[in-house]
């Protein structure tokens, strides 16, 4: 049963990486059920962490919280010093999605010294990426930019292209917010190039979507529309519902700016239908904006 649970967990991870998130969720839950039944507490911890991360990918943020919290309880009971800071950082990511930025920042600032003390540069970089998102949410672009740049520098220093490509998405977002549009384009384009080489279609499309927002800011509406549309096509083909809704919202905004109001309303309507399953603050803000477009 231990081996069966490990295989189910591995299948869940594989489907999650392929962005078949519903099937990934199914296999992860089957692994968790076995581990609970046989009393494998370390295994339960791993399953809960994997499921929590999967819920973040699905943008089911409120569902992720109790998974990380239960895993942390097990971690403390087992006196597991390795997993505790990792789980705290993952919990912070869910809190950021729910716009609980100060709670997330407190967790991240407590765990960053732990990662640094044990020489775990990649975990420290991930915490910096999340700290950037928290400070960005609080309107502090300068600190967000410093954190995002620090994350990317750690990835480059470790020679980890996967992390560099991912963390460049946050750096591009913060640079755009800070008005550094040329630098933001560089971040998104490098991320897209790296993601293409890695074969990570979802994150490559996220980079296109981010670049599209910058192009819209620059008044290059044709380029923005093309990039958002290309990103939406990838998300639709993979069933990435939240990311598709975001790309369609961005596409509708660019189409409106270009005076193509009828097409904008079509995209906004599809985005609204997708957003019905998401009750979090970011989704509610997107719904309000899309209703105004329609």
């Amino acid at each position: 049963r231990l081996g069966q649970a490990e295989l189910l967990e591995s299948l869940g991870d594989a489907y999650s990486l392929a962005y078949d998130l519903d099937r990934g969720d199914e296999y992860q839950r089957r692994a968790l059920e076995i581990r609970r039944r046989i009393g494998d507490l370390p295994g339960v911890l791993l399953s809960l962490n994997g499921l929590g991360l999967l819920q973040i990918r699905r943008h089911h943020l409120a569902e992720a919280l109790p998974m990380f919290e239960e895993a942390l309880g097990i971690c403390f009971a087992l006196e597991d010093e390795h997993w505790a800071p990792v789980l705290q950082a993952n919990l912070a990511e869910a809190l950021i999605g729910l716009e609980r930025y100060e709670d997330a920042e407190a967790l991240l600032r407590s765990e960053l010294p732990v990662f640094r003390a044990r020489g775990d540069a990649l975990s420290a970089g991930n915490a910096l990426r999340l700290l950037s998102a928290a400070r960005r949410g609080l309107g502090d672009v300068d600190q967000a930019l410093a954190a995002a740049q620090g994350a990317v520098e750690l990835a480059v220093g470790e020679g980890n292209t996967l992390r560099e490509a991912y963390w460049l998405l946050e750096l591009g977002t913060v640079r755009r917010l800070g008005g550094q549009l040329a630098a933001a384009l560089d971040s998104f384009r490098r991320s897209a190039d790296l993601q293409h080489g890695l074969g990570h279609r979802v994150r490559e499309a996220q980079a296109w979507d981010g670049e599209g927002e910058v192009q819209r800011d620059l008044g290059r509406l044709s380029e923005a529309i093309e990039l958002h549309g290309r990103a939406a096509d990838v998300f639709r083909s993979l069933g990435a519902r939240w990311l598709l809704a975001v790309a369609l919202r961005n596409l509708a905004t660019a189409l409106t700016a270009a005076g193509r109001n009828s097409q904008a309303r079509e995209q906004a309507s599809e985005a609204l239908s997708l957003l019905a399953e998401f009750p979090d603050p970011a989704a509610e803000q997107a719904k309000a904006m899309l209703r105004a477009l329609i």
Side-chain angles (χ1 to χ4, degrees):
R1 301 296 279 170
L2 279 169
Q4 187 177 16
E6 289 183 12
L7 286 169
L8 288 166
E9 181 184 48
S10 294
L11 277 167
D13 287 342
Y15 280 115
S16 178
L17 287 169
Y19 238 81
D20 188 341
L21 301 182
D22 291 339
R23 195 173 297 183
D25 185 89
E26 173 193 345
Y27 281 109
Q28 290 279 15
R29 289 182 189 276
R30 286 171 60 186
L32 175 60
E33 180 184 358
I34 290 171
R35 286 166 164 169
R36 287 195 192 279
R37 190 181 307 137
I38 64 177
D40 175 17
L41 284 181
V44 170
L45 185 159
L46 293 176
S47 286
L48 287 168
N49 183 60
L51 271 168
L53 291 172
L54 196 149
Q55 302 319 311
I56 289 175
R57 286 194 182 95
R58 298 174 80 188
H59 204 75
H60 292 179
L61 302 165
E63 293 180 31
L65 287 184
M67 295 174 179
F68 292 131
E69 288 165 349
E70 183 183 351
L72 272 168
I74 295 170
C75 196
F76 294 141
L78 295 174
E79 299 182 352
D80 188 321
E81 295 182 359
H82 170 77
W83 278 103
V86 174
L87 288 164
Q88 297 267 37
N90 292 341
L91 176 60
E93 184 162 9
L95 291 171
I96 289 167
L98 293 167
E99 297 189 2
R100 292 172 55 182
Y101 301 122
E102 292 178 348
D103 293 338
E105 182 178 10
L107 288 173
L108 294 165
R109 291 200 182 279
S110 70
E111 300 310 329
L112 255 174
V114 177
F115 293 134
R116 286 170 170 155
R118 66 190 192 190
D120 188 346
L122 293 179
S123 292
N126 188 55
L128 285 170
R129 170 186 71 91
L130 294 170
L131 183 60
S132 172
R135 294 311 304 172
R136 172 164 56 86
L138 291 166
D140 186 348
V141 176
D142 289 341
Q143 281 199 30
L145 183 59
Q149 287 175 326
V152 172
E153 287 166 6
L154 282 172
V156 171
E158 292 292 306
N160 192 305
T161 305
L162 180 69
R163 299 296 183 96
E164 179 190 355
Y166 185 33
W167 297 344
L168 278 166
L169 295 176
E170 175 62 24
L171 181 57
T173 299
V174 180
R175 282 175 163 171
R176 173 179 173 251
L177 286 178
Q180 300 178 17
L181 299 185
L185 282 179
D186 289 342
S187 295
F188 287 124
R189 286 171 173 169
R190 174 156 176 77
S191 177
D193 288 344
L194 292 174
Q195 303 289 5
H196 185 77
L198 293 164
H200 204 309
R201 295 182 64 205
V202 166
R203 289 181 183 165
E204 183 181 11
Q206 285 181 277
W208 294 338
D209 203 37
E211 182 187 346
E213 291 189 277
V214 181
Q215 297 287 13
R216 187 179 74 238
D217 292 345
L218 291 166
R220 301 170 184 165
L221 298 179
S222 295
E223 290 91 335
I225 289 166
E226 192 275 331
L227 285 159
H228 293 315
R230 201 190 326 162
D233 288 342
V234 171
F235 297 143
R236 185 180 287 108
S237 71
L238 295 173
R241 296 186 292 274
W242 167 254
L243 294 176
L244 175 58
V246 171
L248 291 173
R249 178 202 64 190
N250 294 336
L251 177 57
T253 302
L255 287 166
T256 299
R260 295 162 59 177
N261 295 328
S262 176
Q263 290 174 287
R265 285 193 292 272
E266 290 178 12
Q267 305 303 325
S269 295
E270 184 182 356
L272 266 176
S273 67
L274 288 164
L275 288 168
E277 73 174 87
F278 303 106
D280 59 277
E284 294 304 320
Q285 292 163 17
K287 291 172 192 174
M289 186 272 278
L290 289 164
R291 290 189 189 106
L293 285 181
I294 294 172

